[in-house]
Amino acid sequence: MNLVPPPPSGYPQRMVSEEHGPLVLIVDDFDDGREMLQEYLELAGFRAVEAADGQQAIERTLALMPDLILMDLSLPVIDGWEATRRLKEDPRTAGIPIIALSAHSLPDHADRARAAGCDAIMTKPCRPEAVLREVRALLATSAGKVGA
Amino acid sequence: MNMSSTAPIIVELEAWLARHAIKFRKSSLERLPKMREAAAAGDYEVIRVFGHNLRGMGGSYGMDEVTSIGHRLEEHAPAARRADILAAIDELESLLTRLQVVAK
């Protein structure tokens, strides 16, 4: 696990080089959302890769073993709930933190996301700064568990 | 945002975010003819997904009214409320046309 960059002050603050920053997989079927988050996370010193559906998310996770996954829930092919469930059931990927990032605001959707194994849930729309804070917090927690 | 009916709506964002917001505005406008076609054809799932994505992204760019219209589209689509859908699309077109994204 790499160092977690510090909290931002306005513009995202870079601490680690893109070559060594934590790798985040952004899963969203909406191009605009993926690209915006990818740029923001890269400005903040992370590396970021994308997947456009749940099947791609599983394949890219197995291939790249990201440090964290930002998972939209309404996805084609395999939805985000099912993709999360499969990743959390697989011992190779079970330890990767997953943040559900969805425009669904109903409690039922959040409950299902938790049941699937999501470590945190954020409701869209949300500013990229808020996503970055959650990513950093979860990575810090995850690093603490690894180090314990 | 200034929401009076004719005034330009100025959204001021950091330069990097403004680039994405401009692209989002353009791509959303470009999708509207297909949404009207979908409403005419009764293909409401396409409209629901479009509304869902608008709802998810509008607020990220400081365009709360876009999020609100997206929410309405997402609700009208499963109920096949064609007139309400077309009214929301018209409102969205007017809103996006007046919207000007400015980099700080």
Side-chain angles (χ1 to χ4, degrees):
Chain A
M1 179 71 66
N2 296 296
L3 285 175
V4 178
S9 56
Y11 210 65
Q13 207 170 60
R14 187 189 299 270
M15 177 179 175
V16 291
S17 73
E18 285 177 16
E19 286 175 31
H20 300 101
L23 180 64
V24 178
L25 174 63
I26 303 164
V27 189
D28 197 325
D29 61 331
F30 198 46
D31 299 359
D32 291 329
R34 283 201 316 272
E35 290 166 11
M36 185 264 282
L37 275 178
Q38 179 170 19
E39 181 170 351
Y40 191 76
L41 290 171
E42 287 176 352
L43 285 167
F46 291 82
R47 293 171 297 143
V49 289
E50 303 176 34
D53 61 55
Q55 180 65 43
Q56 265 188 22
I58 293 168
E59 290 168 2
R60 295 219 159 172
T61 299
L62 289 169
L64 301 171
M65 297 303 287
D67 295 295
L68 184 141
I69 300 169
L70 287 171
M71 180 76 79
D72 189 20
L73 295 176
S74 288
L75 293 169
V77 189
I78 295 174
D79 67 35
W81 291 283
E82 178 62 17
T84 298
R85 192 184 63 73
R86 293 188 194 182
L87 290 169
K88 289 295 186 180
E89 279 183 358
D90 187 329
R92 293 171 294 177
T93 55
I96 299 173
I98 298 179
I99 299 175
L101 196 58
S102 175
H104 291 289
S105 55
L106 298 174
D108 172 56
H109 289 105
D111 291 344
R112 286 175 57 206
R114 281 190 200 90
C118 289
D119 298 275
I121 296 153
M122 298 189 74
T123 301
K124 292 194 280 188
C126 48
R127 291 278 298 181
E129 300 93 312
V131 176
L132 180 59
R133 275 195 299 274
E134 192 68 34
V135 166
R136 283 177 163 140
L138 205 49
L139 281 175
T141 306
S142 176
K145 281 180 188 168
V146 170
Chain B
M1 286 198 291
N2 180 348
M3 294 305 296
S4 73
S5 61
T6 56
I9 301 165
I10 308 295
V11 177
E12 208 177 353
L13 298 167
E14 299 94 334
W16 77 272
L17 191 56
R19 285 199 309 277
H20 290 280
I22 288 165
K23 187 177 164 220
F24 170 74
R25 173 192 171 276
K26 181 172 180 284
S27 67
S28 298
L29 273 170
E30 286 171 352
R31 285 173 176 145
L32 295 184
K34 290 209 167 177
M35 293 306 119
R36 289 192 173 98
E37 286 173 22
D43 186 358
Y44 295 113
E45 177 60 11
V46 170
I47 295 163
R48 188 196 64 76
V49 171
F50 179 62
H52 183 78
N53 287 332
L54 288 178
R55 180 151 77 98
M57 289 308 300
S60 301
Y61 297 129
M63 305 174 190
D64 294 340
E65 191 62 23
V66 172
T67 283
S68 169
I69 294 172
H71 192 185
R72 278 156 45 201
L73 284 172
E74 201 180 3
E75 288 188 339
H76 292 324
R81 292 194 285 261
R82 185 177 298 173
D84 291 331
I85 289 167
L86 291 172
I89 291 172
D90 288 347
E91 193 179 333
L92 180 63
E93 184 169 37
S94 168
L95 181 69
L96 290 172
T97 302
R98 293 160 50 210
L99 201 142
Q100 292 177 17
V101 179
V102 177
K104 284 183 189 171

